[in-house]
Amino acid sequence: MKHSKSNQSITDPILALRDCKSAFVGVFIASALVNILYLTGSFFMLEVYDRVLPSRSIPTLVALCLLALLLYAFQGAFEMVRGRMFVRIAGALDEALSGRIYRAVVQAPLKLRTQGDGLQALRDFDQIRSFLSGSGPAAFLDLPWLPLYIVICFMFHYWIGTVAVIGSIILITLTFFTNRGTQAPSKRAAEAGNQRNAFAQSSQRNAEVMQAMGMLGRMSQLWDLRNTTYREQNRETSDVGNGYGVLSKVSRMALQSAVLATGAVLVIEGSASPGIIIAGSILTARALAPVELAIGNWRGFVSALQSRQRLKELLTALPERDAPLELPVPKEKLSAESLAGGPPGGQRLTFAEVNFSVKAGSALGVIGPSASGKSSLARALIGIWPSYRGSVRLDGAALDQWDSDRLGRHIGYLPQDVELFSGTVAQNIARFAADASAEAVVSAARAARVHDLILKLPNGYETEMGEGGTALSAGQRQRVALARALYGDPFLVVLDEPNSNLDAEGEQALTEAIMGVRARGGIVIVVAHRPSALAATDMVLMMSEGRMQAFGPRDEVLAQILRKQNRPPQIAGAASLKVVGEGQESAS
């Protein structure tokens, strides 16, 4: 099934299956034929007891056996077709929504308040897909045929039909209580599992710290608490589901025996033939088998429903829109107008009332004490954190007027915590673009002054980074990430603590890279802690307690700050920068 553009606007995963209407029609037809053919066993036994045994006719038995074998073959074929169609329906769902689910997983931490490891949406999607491709849907499709079997039981005899109805009521009641009993525990188990996985991932990321500072024992105790909670919730869900499953199984077996006993009484009284005893028992067992199977699959069904609801809420909160009109390449200025923002989810504002404008060819240094909102501002300037008031504009156009992928071509970003992707150095620099040219990759590396460093790696640009870029040192990762930020000559380059892991040579390369962006008419925003990062800037914005305290030419702003601190007005050179940067730490 080809990906439909209309699937981008779907918020309910089940609606993504609307292109599978013909497949569902085929499934219903196959289910009808399977359930009709399930009557083969009952009628075969009826004919054997009522026709073959009294007549002692071997040819009749052979003919019945051949006919039954043929019908069983058709039944098996239709069941196989139905199972394969469910697998392909699940595959169609995956093809239709997997891309959007992935984008939602990536965007959720940037726009919503998320909990756990952030991968719950993927697990939910897998749960729905697994349920669709399992035995659960077949059991639920067989349930509507229960009345047909009961009607045939009544055709055998009134009392056999009555016993079948009583058994159906018992099993349907058990199904109702299974649903009520498993919903809450299943939801709690999913939440506990999410927290457990998040803790495990956090521990893995901080393995070095835990090992070095002897935290492994205590963290193991915390893990045991979370794992115990998950185990207990999972056990409660399993106990409830298994309990009702056993009850349904025992009830069906008892009912089958009751039908045999009823048939025996009827035969003794001369109200029914001996074949009805066996045929009625088989037919009743078949009539109630889907109910028992549905109870056995009920936990998966409830989990799939809860997964669907969570995905529906996520996709509703993160709607995808059609790409807006493609705007011209920005080349004039960046401006922030009464800008206020903070973390996703509307938790709190970390900065407010920020107003400034930077023209092409300028580099703006953002300085301030710890938790002053510097990094939050940097994230808002490139649209990865929400702006709750005001706007950010490139050449007069607000960021929401751009398609995110197209906007990304004009933006370079170096975060505080650098993490590269598994792949080659060249792929990481090129942002994994399929049409990246060698010239563009090398040009970005040269702009970041990292070309010679890359050539010294074991395989040069084809060196595998490893997951998270672990094959490189922290300083090397930061310089490769700088090259990635400069790939494609973006108009706006935002660098958040770009020299935190750099040596003197790396800092000189950083300064030259910033000057290179300015020389080609780009704009650089540098969130600075170490004052050497401001060497190539011509503008400075001072933040404090989430407010813009000063903005203007670098030397003027630094002189103003020095006067407020009652320090000598030494503005020129690195010495003045050192005084201003003294005591500053990384942003919130």
Side-chain angles (χ1 to χ4, degrees):
M1 187 190 73
K2 294 184 179 180
H3 175 69
S4 173
K5 185 178 180 179
S6 62
N7 286 331
Q8 296 179 0
S9 60
I10 292 176
T11 57
D12 189 343
I14 300 303
L15 294 180
L17 296 174
R18 60 190 178 188
D19 294 333
C20 300
K21 292 179 181 177
S22 58
F24 280 112
V25 171
V27 165
F28 283 121
I29 293 175
S31 295
L33 294 173
V34 165
N35 279 278
I36 292 173
L37 290 171
Y38 266 129
L39 297 173
T40 301
S42 299
F43 284 100
F44 175 77
M45 296 304 295
L46 182 64
E47 290 299 313
V48 167
Y49 277 89
D50 290 352
R51 186 182 300 272
V52 175
L53 293 181
S55 66
R56 298 179 181 273
S57 174
I58 298 299
T60 302
L61 179 61
V62 172
L64 286 174
C65 288
L66 292 176
L67 178 60
L69 183 62
L70 179 63
L71 293 177
Y72 284 139
F74 276 110
Q75 177 185 331
F78 288 127
E79 285 205 70
M80 184 182 297
V81 168
R82 182 173 66 172
R84 291 189 174 186
M85 292 179 74
F86 275 124
V87 172
R88 279 150 183 78
I89 289 173
L93 177 67
D94 182 83
E95 185 178 349
L97 279 186
S98 62
R100 186 169 180 202
I101 297 297
Y102 172 76
R103 292 191 293 273
V105 168
V106 174
Q107 293 173 353
L110 307 178
K111 298 183 178 181
L112 304 174
R113 187 174 183 177
T114 58
Q115 297 180 345
D117 59 359
L119 300 180
Q120 183 62 44
L122 288 179
R123 288 192 287 272
D124 287 337
F125 191 54
D126 288 339
Q127 175 64 40
I128 295 175
R129 186 177 52 195
S130 298
F131 179 77
L132 282 175
S133 59
S135 60
F140 288 104
L141 280 178
D142 289 343
L143 279 176
W145 293 90
L146 175 60
L148 172 65
Y149 294 125
I150 292 178
V151 168
I152 296 176
C153 287
F154 273 107
M155 291 173 63
F156 286 162
H157 197 278
Y158 170 79
W159 284 111
I160 292 179
T162 300
V163 173
V165 169
I166 294 173
S168 301
I169 293 174
I170 292 174
L171 291 184
I172 290 173
T173 302
L174 288 176
T175 304
F176 171 76
F177 283 110
T178 300
N179 179 42
R180 290 193 59 180
T182 56
Q183 276 188 344
S186 179
K187 184 176 181 180
R188 291 195 296 268
E191 293 173 351
N194 198 21
Q195 295 174 0
R196 169 179 173 269
N197 293 338
F199 185 82
Q201 288 191 338
S202 175
S203 300
Q204 188 178 46
R205 288 195 302 268
N206 294 278
E208 294 179 357
V209 173
M210 292 168 57
Q211 183 67 28
M213 296 193 292
M215 297 170 59
L216 188 58
R218 175 55 182 158
M219 299 305 284
S220 295
Q221 295 175 1
L222 296 177
W223 161 261
D224 287 339
L225 291 175
R226 287 167 172 79
N227 191 56
T228 299
T229 301
Y230 171 72
R231 184 175 63 248
E232 291 175 349
Q233 296 295 342
N234 204 44
R235 181 178 59 198
E236 180 182 355
T237 306
S238 298
D239 287 346
V240 172
N242 292 337
Y244 284 115
V246 169
L247 281 176
S248 67
K249 183 177 180 180
V250 171
S251 299
R252 185 173 66 85
M253 294 172 61
L255 179 64
Q256 192 170 359
S257 298
V259 171
L260 282 171
T262 303
V265 172
L266 294 175
V267 171
I268 292 172
E269 294 180 349
S271 300
S273 64
I276 288 181
I277 301 178
I278 304 301
S281 175
I282 294 175
L283 189 60
T284 305
R286 173 55 206 161
L288 301 181
V291 182
E292 182 184 349
L293 189 58
I295 293 175
N297 285 276
W298 203 265
R299 181 182 177 185
F301 176 63
V302 171
S303 297
L305 286 180
Q306 293 176 346
S307 296
R308 173 197 175 190
Q309 183 60 32
R310 285 191 293 265
L311 281 179
K312 186 176 179 180
E313 293 173 357
L314 176 66
L315 297 180
T316 301
L318 297 172
E320 292 198 347
R321 57 173 187 166
D322 294 333
L325 180 71
E326 187 170 1
L327 298 174
V329 176
K331 56 183 179 181
E332 295 179 2
K333 66 177 181 177
L334 165 74
S335 58
E337 302 174 353
S338 301
L339 188 63
Q347 304 170 46
R348 61 188 177 91
L349 292 179
T350 53
F351 67 91
E353 301 304 324
V354 174
N355 291 276
F356 69 87
S357 179
V358 182
K359 294 182 178 180
S362 293
L364 172 66
V366 181
I367 62 175
S370 176
S372 61
K374 304 189 298 294
S375 291
S376 299
L377 174 61
R379 295 185 180 105
L381 291 177
I382 54 179
I384 58 176
W385 271 19
S387 300
Y388 296 119
R389 291 199 301 269
S391 61
V392 179
R393 297 182 179 274
L394 283 175
D395 290 1
L399 294 186
D400 58 9
Q401 297 179 21
W402 293 81
D403 173 71
S404 60
D405 286 347
R406 291 172 182 168
L407 177 63
R409 301 171 191 169
H410 311 306
I411 289 179
Y413 178 53
L414 177 64
Q416 279 190 34
D417 300 320
V418 175
E419 186 167 334
L420 302 175
F421 294 92
S422 179
T424 65
V425 173
Q427 287 175 320
N428 274 272
I429 292 177
R431 308 181 185 185
F432 286 84
D435 57 349
S437 65
E439 292 79 9
V441 172
V442 173
S443 176
R446 290 187 183 278
R449 306 311 190 263
V450 75
H451 174 70
D452 293 337
L453 184 151
I454 294 175
L455 293 181
K456 295 177 182 179
L457 295 175
N459 295 313
Y461 282 90
E462 298 304 316
T463 300
E464 287 289 336
M465 307 289 290
E467 195 66 39
T470 54
L472 304 181
S473 68
Q476 289 174 326
R477 287 199 299 271
Q478 194 160 36
R479 295 184 67 179
V480 170
L482 176 60
R484 179 180 63 185
L486 299 178
Y487 174 78
D489 294 335
F491 174 68
L492 174 62
V493 179
V494 177
L495 310 176
D496 194 352
E497 306 290 356
N499 58 345
S500 58
N501 294 307
L502 300 183
D503 54 16
E505 179 184 353
E507 290 191 344
Q508 179 61 32
L510 172 65
T511 299
E512 294 176 0
I514 295 174
M515 294 301 297
V517 176
R518 293 182 59 187
R520 61 174 173 78
I523 294 175
V524 183
I525 307 294
V526 184
V527 176
H529 165 49
R530 292 167 61 179
S532 56
L534 299 178
T537 63
D538 60 325
M539 306 287 289
V540 167
L541 186 153
M542 174 69 178
M543 296 287 294
S544 180
E545 298 181 352
R547 300 282 177 170
M548 185 177 75
Q549 303 298 322
F551 169 74
R554 185 189 68 185
D555 292 347
E556 294 180 9
V557 172
L558 297 185
Q560 178 182 348
I561 295 173
L562 288 172
R563 285 195 298 271
K564 288 182 179 180
Q565 295 177 348
N566 295 319
R567 299 196 180 189
Q570 298 175 343
I571 305 304
S576 64
L577 296 177
K578 182 177 180 181
V579 171
V580 174
E582 195 174 10
Q584 295 178 357
E585 296 179 351
S586 60
S588 63

